[in-house]
Amino acid sequence: MSSATVPAGERAAAAATAGSSGGLPKPSPLYAAAGLDVWTMMNQAAASVGAVNLGQGYMSFPPKDFITRAAQEALAENSHNQYAPPRGRPGLLEQVGARFSRLLGRDIDPGSELSVHAGANEALLSAFTAFLEHGKGEEVILIEPAFDQYTPNVIMAGGRPVYVPLRVRTTKDPAREVVSSSDWKLDPAELEAAVSSKTRILVLNTPHNPVGKVFTREELEEIGAVAQRHNLLVIADEVYEHLTYGIEHVSIATLPGMWERTITVGSAGKLFGVTGWRVGWAVGPASLIAPTLSAHTRIVFTTNTPLQEGIASALCLAHDNDFFNVQRSEYERRRNRLMAALDDAGLPYVVPDGAYYLLANAASIKIPKDYEFPSYIEARGYNFKLAYFFIKEFGVSGIPPTEFYSDAHKALAVDYIRFAFCKTDEVLEEAARRLQKLKTHLQCSD
Ligand code: PMP
């Protein structure tokens, strides 16, 4: 008898029995197993001892006045309080289109080659959702360290992540000497070896979080050649395109033959220091943006209207204020302050050429054998212990970058801690003062 022919009373009784014996439906293993995320865990540990928080990459300084004013004015306008079109508010599309026409050196059609999202995160999820099919074992290549949303987003969209790590190639000893983020290299042969008949997408993040690497034109050409040989879609996460220090940011979409296969993702949160506003975008040919927009429409339908309007005005005003150049030099100053503090403390690091993170190499730190860790740290391995030790002993918090690696490659990052320098001068000065304690620690463990 099919369920349709079971009398309703019997069906209800069977359902009630199943309910009482089995309890509520079980959560999906993807979410059930997840404990505290790394950000919450480290923020809590930092707060518990009043550590200077250089962990999460949020700005500890307010946005410039013209940016917040733009949002306040947008909110005061009655017509800005209802649903926006799923693709985005026309005024924002126009401004983002103009920006990318300049950046990519081509006329971007805001009506077909752009979509506005709830932050870059949702643009990425929409792109994965649009181009992966469930149940087909389709693969996505992620370059490690990989921003921690990529893996769960690929899995949610039905894909399978395949990892290729950057490898440090230098004659220097990174445990003792300062190295460059350009020493972190992607081996094109290793990349190509990771491609299979099931590979559909390659995710490229430049400028890179957390290494601070800005991929050179030559490196991008090699990556682009692999994508073209295997007909891959490239999702270019360029949320830090506006923050490079004395080095040119190149969009892979500008290379010959790459526009057609690239979705470039950006973030108003990063661009204007307003990560809580949740506005981002995707740029690419209409054939790639249409399905991305379609997925976006089913995921969140549309992005909040007033802050889209606020970002549209801010983009317009940014040029009059020379905002992006001023901002870049402010970040460069913050980066230099943190590097000087680590130089002084005697801890080597990776010089970031872009973004606002720095990897410090803490291989020389010796954690006493009997040092006590809370169980939630103990369970997460050495790199988490190192970050916790920094919080407790030096009063400065960072993020354990093994969180940006698959299990097979975590060993590549166990000695590093990621510090974010999108912080006020006061915060960075206090961090510098506290990091002085490292000197004694390092001398004692020599
Ligand atoms: N990509 C990278 C590499 C990031 O570092 C971040 C934010 N930390 C994002 C995407 C997400 O950006 P948004 O806040 O606009 O969602």
Side-chain angles (χ1 to χ4, degrees):
M1 207 181 338
S2 80
S3 65
T5 56
V6 174
E10 276 177 44
R11 267 213 314 274
T17 315
S20 58
S21 61
L24 284 169
K26 299 243 179 319
S28 151
L30 191 56
Y31 307 102
L36 269 189
D37 67 275
V38 67
W39 318 105
T40 312
M41 190 187 290
M42 288 302 154
N43 283 341
Q44 279 176 8
S48 73
V49 295
V52 174
N53 195 339
L54 303 187
Q56 202 169 8
Y58 61 83
M59 295 79 189
S60 72
F61 43 84
K64 299 275 188 246
D65 279 352
F66 81 93
I67 302 166
T68 39
R69 215 176 311 118
Q72 282 155 0
E73 283 166 14
L75 200 56
E77 179 68 48
N78 190 36
S79 63
H80 294 164
N81 291 301
Q82 305 305 327
Y83 294 127
R87 186 185 293 280
R89 291 286 294 182
L92 180 58
L93 290 169
E94 195 186 311
Q95 288 298 328
V96 178
R99 179 168 173 82
F100 276 94
S101 297
R102 278 194 305 278
L103 290 178
L104 303 182
R106 64 186 307 127
D107 272 342
I108 301 295
D109 173 14
S112 65
E113 295 176 330
L114 265 182
S115 50
V116 174
H117 295 263
N121 275 330
E122 191 263 313
L124 291 161
L125 176 62
S126 292
F128 292 136
T129 303
F131 288 93
L132 293 170
E133 262 191 80
H134 283 262
K136 297 227 164 143
E138 293 180 336
E139 294 175 0
V140 178
I141 296 186
L142 301 179
I143 298 167
E144 289 172 318
F147 176 51
D148 70 329
Q149 289 281 37
Y150 298 158
T151 292
N153 279 192
V154 166
I155 296 171
M156 285 160 81
R160 196 175 83 81
V162 173
Y163 301 95
V164 183
L166 294 173
R167 296 192 186 271
V168 182
R169 300 277 183 240
T170 170
T171 51
K172 291 183 179 170
D173 175 2
R176 299 185 168 276
E177 292 166 276
V178 171
V179 302
S180 166
S181 50
S182 62
D183 294 329
W184 288 56
K185 304 256 189 225
L186 182 69
D187 176 353
E190 195 175 357
L191 173 64
E192 190 133 32
V195 177
S196 79
S197 59
K198 297 201 172 238
T199 314
R200 297 287 174 272
I201 301 175
L202 165 68
V203 180
L204 174 76
N205 172 214
T206 183
H208 187 274
N209 169 13
V211 177
K213 177 182 176 67
V214 180
F215 284 76
T216 63
R217 186 176 296 276
E218 292 67 36
E219 288 174 319
L220 295 175
E221 278 166 1
E222 288 173 342
I223 295 169
V226 173
Q228 292 189 28
R229 265 198 298 282
H230 299 279
N231 218 1
L232 307 182
L233 167 69
V234 174
I235 298 184
D237 179 344
E238 299 186 3
V239 297
Y240 303 103
E241 42 95 349
H242 56 298
L243 289 177
T244 59
Y245 313 113
I247 189 168
E248 182 199 19
H249 163 72
V250 179
S251 283
I252 195 166
T254 60
L255 301 186
M258 291 308 293
W259 164 254
E260 296 73 13
R261 61 178 65 254
T262 304
I263 297 175
T264 304
V265 168
S267 164
K270 305 289 178 187
L271 206 53
F272 288 110
V274 289
T275 56
W277 289 17
R278 313 309 300 134
V279 176
W281 37 75
V283 187
S287 58
L288 302 184
I289 294 301
T292 304
L293 172 59
S294 202
H296 161 78
T297 310
R298 294 301 164 213
I299 293 171
V300 288
F301 180 50
T302 177
T303 308
N304 79 83
T305 303
L307 296 178
Q308 288 195 53
E309 289 294 332
I311 295 293
S313 308
L315 275 168
C316 189
L317 294 167
H319 296 286
D320 302 341
N321 288 295
D322 198 23
F323 171 72
F324 294 114
N325 283 329
V326 172
Q327 177 173 252
R328 189 195 307 261
S329 59
E330 286 171 353
Y331 273 92
E332 190 161 7
R333 188 168 43 75
R334 294 180 186 117
R335 177 195 75 150
N336 294 349
R337 182 65 193 99
L338 181 57
M339 292 197 304
L342 291 167
D343 285 335
D344 192 31
L347 202 66
Y349 53 88
V350 182
V351 178
D353 287 330
Y356 47 66
Y357 307 99
L358 175 149
L359 290 179
N361 190 311
S364 51
I365 301 289
K366 302 276 177 288
I367 303 179
K369 283 210 169 43
D370 54 354
Y371 201 81
E372 284 195 6
F373 295 97
S375 54
Y376 65 90
I377 294 287
E378 190 78 47
R380 303 297 300 272
Y382 180 76
N383 197 222
F384 275 68
K385 289 184 179 174
L386 192 60
Y388 182 83
F389 187 73
F390 251 78
I391 291 174
K392 285 279 185 196
E393 296 304 311
F394 309 121
V396 178
S397 81
I399 290 293
T402 50
E403 197 64 4
F404 288 46
Y405 284 85
S406 57
D407 286 348
H409 299 140
K410 281 192 197 301
L412 293 169
V414 283
D415 289 331
Y416 289 95
I417 298 191
R418 189 197 81 167
F419 293 125
F421 55 85
C422 45
K423 308 294 172 185
T424 58
D425 290 347
E426 294 71 38
V427 169
L428 292 172
E429 285 310 324
E430 182 57 20
R433 200 183 60 74
R434 294 183 181 205
L435 286 170
Q436 290 282 319
K437 273 202 234 157
L438 269 166
K439 279 188 191 167
T440 333
H441 176 91
L442 292 172
Q443 276 157 12
C444 294
S445 43
D446 260 352

